[in-house]
Amino acid sequence: MMSSALVCTSSGAYRVTLGERCSVHASAVIEARKGPIEIEDDNCIDERVVICNESSETMRIGVGNWFQVGSVVRAKRVGDYNVFKPRCVVEANAAVGDGCSVGAAVRVVHGTLVDNTSTFRCFFRSAASCNSARCA
């Protein structure tokens, strides 16, 4: 753990490592449930964010990510400079590349968001009123 990190610990089987200049809100939860978590420098983790490793492999979170209010991330890997909008969920079978934006209330269940991908929800009443040009 870097000298500038401030962490409140509880009994846990695995280690959480925070890099330099990380900001973690008091109501955020970082839980290394089944394996360690390594969070690199300059990450911002807002209130009510949950970051949880449910894998035996090390969860790696890159540099300069912003986890906004209420986002939940269980991804096996998070690259650099991503934004996780409020109430989004990235499940354990997913990974996130670099420069991605996961939209508010979006759920990523599996697969990899390749670099510079943006996701968002389309709020229309029926599928017929939502064409792929607007909601891809």
Side-chain angles (χ1 to χ4, degrees):
M1 185 165 345
M2 297 300 175
S3 59
S4 64
L6 174 63
V7 179
C8 297
T9 60
S10 63
S11 60
Y14 299 97
R15 182 178 179 91
V16 174
T17 305
L18 288 174
E20 293 283 346
R21 298 171 304 279
C22 288
S23 169
V24 180
H25 191 276
S27 66
V29 175
I30 302 173
E31 185 176 5
R33 185 175 293 169
K34 294 184 180 177
I37 300 174
E38 294 178 0
I39 301 173
E40 293 186 31
D41 300 341
D42 301 312
N43 284 283
C44 180
I45 302 169
D46 288 346
E47 59 266 29
R48 297 189 318 274
V49 167
V50 175
I51 296 174
C52 181
N53 186 2
E54 296 179 347
S55 166
S56 60
E57 297 178 23
T58 300
M59 174 193 259
R60 288 187 170 79
I61 296 176
V63 174
N65 296 290
W66 184 12
F67 300 87
Q68 294 182 357
V69 177
S71 58
V72 176
V73 176
R74 299 181 186 100
K76 52 190 167 189
R77 179 190 170 278
V78 173
D80 299 332
Y81 305 106
N82 298 293
V83 177
F84 297 88
K85 299 287 186 170
R87 298 181 341 273
C88 73
V89 176
V90 182
E91 297 290 358
N93 292 325
V96 179
D98 297 333
C100 297
S101 176
V102 180
V106 167
R107 177 179 225 109
V108 179
V109 177
H110 59 81
T112 299
L113 294 181
V114 297
D115 293 353
N116 303 309
T117 298
S118 291
T119 64
F120 59 95
R121 288 187 68 164
C122 192
F123 295 100
F124 289 96
R125 293 197 182 273
S126 68
S129 66
C130 181
N131 66 40
S132 61
R134 289 187 296 180
C135 303

